[in-house]
Amino acid sequence: HSMQATIKDTNMIYEEMGSGRAVVVLQKSLAQMGNLEGLSDAGFRVIVPGVGGSSRAPLEGDADWTAEQIVTLLNYLGIGRTAFAVMPGHEAVIQALREKYPKRLAGAFPLQTGDNGEMDRLVGFLRSLRDATPLRNRLREVA
């Protein structure tokens, strides 16, 4: 479901589906990966920033600006520390988040195709983060 938030005079377009623990999916459009419903069906709140083609969408511009916009969107949505699923081309954004907002990045899972097997592995990764107690002791990144 396409949503728009106007925050500090910036229009941010994003997609949101499902409920539960949030996962942010960095991709250019929903057409890039059609299996996001599987994430929401598995009990996760899926946030896809920058969908809709706005010239000021979070995934336009440099990585530092994009990271700042994503954190602003997370604040707006009431989301603190969260996991990210990352399609190719957005590695610099994750690096910027890691450097500038390390407390917001619970983990990053690289996606290549978004096929069913990969989505199953992503759900497993997200559940391992969710079930980790305390989170920081079991935090890992899938390479």
Side-chain angles (χ1 to χ4, degrees), residues 67-79:
E68 180 183 339
Q69 295 302 300
I70 289 170
V71 168
T72 301
L73 179 62
L74 292 176
N75 291 342
Y76 174 82
L77 296 173
I79 298 168

Side-chain angles (χ1 to χ4, degrees), residues 12-79:
M12 287 196 264
I13 295 172
Y14 63 97
E15 297 272 346
E16 181 175 13
M17 67 181 84
S19 60
R21 188 130 181 202
V23 57
V24 177
V25 180
L26 299 185
Q27 60 182 24
K28 289 293 187 188
S29 71
L30 282 177
Q32 193 173 2
M33 185 171 62
N35 291 333
L36 292 178
E37 291 82 5
L39 280 179
S40 61
D41 291 346
F44 294 95
R45 178 182 179 191
V46 181
I47 310 294
V48 185
V51 172
S54 164
S55 63
R56 296 292 286 174
L59 295 184
E60 301 290 332
D62 67 65
D64 287 345
W65 185 84
T66 299
E68 180 183 339
Q69 295 302 300
I70 289 170
V71 168
T72 301
L73 179 62
L74 292 176
N75 291 342
Y76 174 82
L77 296 173
I79 298 168

Side-chain angles (χ1 to χ4, degrees), residues 15 18-19 35 53 58 69 105-106 110 113 116 122-124 136 140 142:
E15 297 272 346
S19 60
N35 291 333
Q69 295 302 300
L105 183 64
T113 62
N116 288 333
L122 172 57
V123 168
R136 71 178 67 89
R140 63 189 173 93
V142 176

